């Protein structure tokens, strides 16, 4: 994974704010943008801006917004919150081991393949 590739989430999430700002400030009202060279210029500018949004300095500044730390969501030392629903009688690993043993080791009704 490249450095810019690791930051594509930032480019994806943050470019919308720049587009909204350009619309608000009338950035799309220029008649030059309707010409072929204007469209090429906008395309190149967009590629440069999104590339800039993927760089490590931008990631450092906006990390708290895009990838917040979640320690605040749980009080220190409380551990996992017990679930409010019924627990299964066996874990996934136990069930998987039982299934790998085959139908001869299954308990239950013989008319349903041991289930």
């Amino acid at each position: 994974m490249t450095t810019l590739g690791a930051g594509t989430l930032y480019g994806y999430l943050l470019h919308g704010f720049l587009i909204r700002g350009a619309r608000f400030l009338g950035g799309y009202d220029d008649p030059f943008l309707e010409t072929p060279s204007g469209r090429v210029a906008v395309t190149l500018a967009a590629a440069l801006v999104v590339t800039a949004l993927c760089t490590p300095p931008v990631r450092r500044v906006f990390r708290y917004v895009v990838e917040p730390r979640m320690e605040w969501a749980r009080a220190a030392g409380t551990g996992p919150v017990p679930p409010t629903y019924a627990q299964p009688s066996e874990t996934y690993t136990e069930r998987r081991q039982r299934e790998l043993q085959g139908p001869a080791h299954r308990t239950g009704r013989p008319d349903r393949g041991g289930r």
Side-chain angles (χ1 to χ4, degrees):
M1 181 178 281
T2 65
T3 303
L4 289 178
T8 55
L9 178 65
Y10 290 82
Y12 174 73
L13 293 175
L14 298 175
H15 84 280
F17 293 105
L18 298 176
I19 290 173
R20 293 286 183 171
R23 281 187 184 165
F24 180 75
L25 297 174
Y28 292 112
D29 297 334
D30 191 352
F32 170 71
L33 300 178
E34 296 299 324
T35 65
S37 57
R39 292 179 184 199
V40 170
V42 167
T43 302
L44 291 175
L48 289 173
V49 167
V50 169
T51 302
L53 289 175
C54 296
T55 60
V58 173
R59 290 172 51 200
R60 269 193 299 277
V61 170
F62 290 104
R63 180 169 286 139
Y64 74 96
V65 175
V66 177
E67 300 177 77
R69 295 187 178 182
M70 299 303 293
E71 287 89 21
W72 59 269
R74 187 182 312 193
T78 60
V81 177
T84 58
Y85 53 88
Q87 292 293 317
S89 60
E90 62 184 352
T91 65
Y92 172 79
T93 306
E94 293 169 342
R95 190 184 87 218
R96 183 73 179 136
Q97 288 174 351
R98 180 179 48 80
E99 289 173 351
L100 290 175
Q101 290 175 352
H105 293 84
R106 292 184 184 158
T107 58
R109 296 177 50 178
D111 60 330
R112 293 196 176 178
R115 293 184 190 191

